Coordinates of all heavy atoms in Angstrom, one line a residue:
V845 N -20.6 -26.9 36.5 CA -19.3 -26.7 37.2 C -18.1 -27.1 36.3 O -17.1 -26.5 36.3 CB -19.3 -27.6 38.5 CG1 -19.4 -29.1 38.2 CG2 -18.1 -27.3 39.3
K846 N -18.3 -28.1 35.4 CA -17.2 -28.5 34.5 C -16.8 -27.3 33.6 O -15.6 -27.0 33.4 CB -17.5 -29.7 33.8 CG -16.3 -30.2 32.8 CD -16.7 -31.4 32.1 CE -15.4 -32.0 31.3 NZ -14.9 -31.1 30.4
Y847 N -17.8 -26.8 33.0 CA -17.6 -25.6 32.0 C -17.0 -24.5 32.8 O -16.0 -23.9 32.2 CB -18.9 -25.2 31.3 CG -18.8 -23.9 30.8 CD1 -18.1 -23.6 29.6 CD2 -19.3 -22.7 31.5 CE1 -17.9 -22.4 29.0 CE2 -19.2 -21.5 30.9 CZ -18.5 -21.3 29.6 OH -18.3 -20.0 29.1
I848 N -17.4 -24.1 33.9 CA -16.9 -23.0 34.7 C -15.4 -23.3 35.0 O -14.6 -22.4 34.9 CB -17.8 -22.8 35.9 CG1 -19.2 -22.3 35.5 CG2 -17.1 -21.7 36.8 CD1 -20.2 -22.2 36.7
R849 N -15.1 -24.5 35.5 CA -13.8 -24.8 35.9 C -12.9 -24.7 34.7 O -11.7 -24.2 34.8 CB -13.7 -26.1 36.6 CG -12.3 -26.4 37.1 CD -12.3 -27.8 37.8 NE -11.0 -28.0 38.3 CZ -10.7 -29.1 38.9 NH1 -11.5 -30.2 38.9 NH2 -9.4 -29.4 39.4
D850 N -13.3 -25.2 33.5 CA -12.5 -25.2 32.3 C -12.2 -23.8 31.8 O -11.2 -23.4 31.4 CB -13.2 -26.0 31.2 CG -13.1 -27.5 31.4 OD1 -12.2 -27.9 32.2 OD2 -13.9 -28.2 30.7
A851 N -13.3 -22.9 32.0 CA -13.2 -21.5 31.5 C -12.4 -20.7 32.4 O -11.5 -19.9 32.0 CB -14.5 -20.9 31.4
L852 N -12.5 -20.9 33.8 CA -11.7 -20.0 34.7 C -10.4 -20.7 35.3 O -9.6 -20.0 35.8 CB -12.6 -19.8 36.0 CG -14.0 -19.0 35.7 CD1 -14.8 -18.8 37.0 CD2 -13.7 -17.6 35.1
G853 N -10.3 -21.9 35.1 CA -9.1 -22.6 35.6 C -9.3 -23.0 37.2 O -8.4 -23.5 37.8
S854 N -10.5 -22.6 37.7 CA -10.8 -22.9 39.1 C -12.3 -22.8 39.3 O -13.0 -22.3 38.5 CB -10.1 -21.9 40.0 OG -10.7 -20.6 39.8
P855 N -12.8 -23.5 40.3 CA -14.3 -23.6 40.5 C -14.8 -22.2 41.0 O -14.0 -21.4 41.5 CB -14.5 -24.7 41.5 CG -13.2 -24.7 42.3 CD -12.1 -24.4 41.3
L856 N -16.1 -22.0 40.9 CA -16.8 -20.8 41.5 C -17.3 -21.2 42.9 O -18.1 -22.1 43.0 CB -17.9 -20.4 40.6 CG -18.6 -19.1 40.8 CD1 -17.6 -17.9 40.8 CD2 -19.6 -18.8 39.7
V857 N -16.8 -20.5 43.9 CA -17.0 -21.0 45.3 C -18.1 -20.0 45.9 O -18.0 -18.8 45.7 CB -15.7 -20.8 46.1 CG1 -15.9 -21.3 47.5 CG2 -14.6 -21.6 45.5
P858 N -19.0 -20.6 46.6 CA -20.1 -19.7 47.4 C -19.3 -18.8 48.4 O -18.3 -19.2 48.9 CB -20.9 -20.8 48.1 CG -20.8 -22.0 47.3 CD -19.3 -22.0 46.8
K859 N -19.8 -17.6 48.5 CA -19.2 -16.6 49.4 C -19.0 -17.1 50.9 O -18.1 -16.8 51.5 CB -20.1 -15.4 49.4 CG -19.6 -14.3 50.4 CD -18.3 -13.6 50.1 CE -18.1 -12.3 50.8 NZ -18.4 -12.2 52.1
E860 N -20.1 -17.9 51.3 CA -20.0 -18.4 52.7 C -18.8 -19.4 52.9 O -18.5 -19.6 54.1 CB -21.3 -19.0 53.1 CG -21.7 -20.2 52.1 CD -22.7 -19.8 51.1 OE1 -22.6 -18.5 50.7 OE2 -23.5 -20.6 50.5
M861 N -18.2 -19.9 51.8 CA -17.0 -20.8 52.0 C -15.7 -20.0 52.1 O -14.6 -20.6 52.3 CB -16.9 -21.7 50.8 CG -18.2 -22.7 50.6 SD -18.1 -23.9 51.8 CE -16.6 -24.9 51.3
A862 N -15.7 -18.6 52.0 CA -14.5 -17.9 52.0 C -13.9 -17.9 53.5 O -14.6 -17.9 54.4 CB -14.8 -16.5 51.6
P863 N -12.6 -18.0 53.5 CA -11.9 -18.0 54.8 C -12.2 -16.6 55.6 O -12.5 -15.6 54.9 CB -10.4 -18.0 54.5 CG -10.4 -18.7 53.1 CD -11.6 -18.2 52.5
I864 N -12.2 -16.6 56.8 CA -12.5 -15.4 57.6 C -11.6 -14.2 57.3 O -12.0 -13.1 57.2 CB -12.4 -15.7 59.1 CG1 -13.4 -16.8 59.5 CG2 -12.7 -14.5 60.0 CD1 -13.3 -17.3 60.9
D865 N -10.3 -14.5 57.1 CA -9.3 -13.4 56.9 C -9.1 -13.2 55.4 O -8.0 -12.6 55.0 CB -8.0 -13.8 57.6 CG -7.5 -15.2 57.3 OD1 -8.2 -15.9 56.5 OD2 -6.4 -15.5 57.7
V866 N -10.0 -13.6 54.5 CA -9.8 -13.4 53.0 C -9.8 -12.0 52.7 O -10.5 -11.2 53.3 CB -10.8 -14.2 52.2 CG1 -12.2 -13.6 52.4 CG2 -10.5 -14.2 50.8
V867 N -8.9 -11.5 51.8 CA -8.8 -10.1 51.3 C -9.3 -10.1 49.8 O -8.7 -10.7 49.0 CB -7.4 -9.5 51.4 CG1 -7.4 -8.1 50.9 CG2 -7.0 -9.6 52.8
F868 N -10.4 -9.4 49.6 CA -11.0 -9.3 48.2 C -10.2 -8.2 47.5 O -10.1 -7.1 48.0 CB -12.5 -9.1 48.2 CG -13.2 -10.3 48.9 CD1 -14.0 -10.1 50.1 CD2 -13.3 -11.5 48.2 CE1 -14.6 -11.1 50.6 CE2 -13.9 -12.5 48.8 CZ -14.6 -12.4 50.0
V869 N -9.9 -8.5 46.2 CA -9.3 -7.4 45.4 C -10.3 -6.9 44.3 O -10.0 -5.8 43.7 CB -8.1 -8.0 44.7 CG1 -7.0 -8.4 45.6 CG2 -8.4 -9.2 43.7
G870 N -11.4 -7.5 44.2 CA -12.5 -6.9 43.3 C -13.8 -7.5 43.7 O -14.0 -8.6 44.2
E871 N -14.9 -6.6 43.4 CA -16.2 -7.0 43.8 C -17.2 -6.2 42.9 O -17.0 -5.0 42.7 CB -16.4 -6.6 45.3 CG -17.9 -6.8 45.8 CD -18.1 -6.4 47.2 OE1 -17.0 -6.3 48.0 OE2 -19.2 -6.1 47.6
E872 N -18.2 -7.0 42.3 CA -19.1 -6.4 41.4 C -20.5 -7.1 41.6 O -20.5 -8.3 41.8 CB -18.7 -6.4 39.9 CG -17.9 -5.2 39.4 CD -17.5 -5.4 38.0 OE1 -17.9 -6.3 37.4 OE2 -16.9 -4.4 37.5
S873 N -21.6 -6.2 41.4 CA -22.9 -6.8 41.5 C -23.5 -6.8 40.0 O -23.2 -6.0 39.2 CB -23.9 -5.9 42.3 OG -23.4 -5.8 43.6
H874 N -24.3 -7.9 39.7 CA -24.8 -8.2 38.4 C -26.2 -8.7 38.4 O -26.6 -9.3 39.4 CB -23.9 -9.1 37.6 CG -22.5 -8.6 37.4 ND1 -22.1 -7.7 36.4 CD2 -21.3 -8.9 38.0 CE1 -20.9 -7.5 36.5 NE2 -20.4 -8.2 37.4
D875 N -26.9 -8.5 37.3 CA -28.2 -9.1 37.1 C -28.2 -9.9 35.7 O -27.9 -9.3 34.7 CB -29.3 -8.1 37.0 CG -29.5 -7.5 38.3 OD1 -30.1 -8.2 39.2 OD2 -29.3 -6.3 38.6
V876 N -28.5 -11.1 35.7 CA -28.4 -12.0 34.5 C -29.7 -12.8 34.5 O -29.9 -13.6 35.5 CB -27.2 -12.9 34.4 CG1 -27.4 -13.9 33.3 CG2 -25.9 -12.0 34.4

Side-chain angles (χ1 to χ4, degrees):
V845 66
K846 183 178 185 305
Y847 163 74
I848 293 172
R849 186 179 181 188
D850 287 344
L852 298 178
S854 63
L856 190 55
V857 183
K859 171 69 163 46
E860 55 268 23
M861 295 285 294
I864 298 174
D865 51 359
V866 68
V867 177
F868 296 115
V869 296
E871 177 182 336
E872 270 185 356
S873 298
H874 295 284
D875 288 292
V876 173

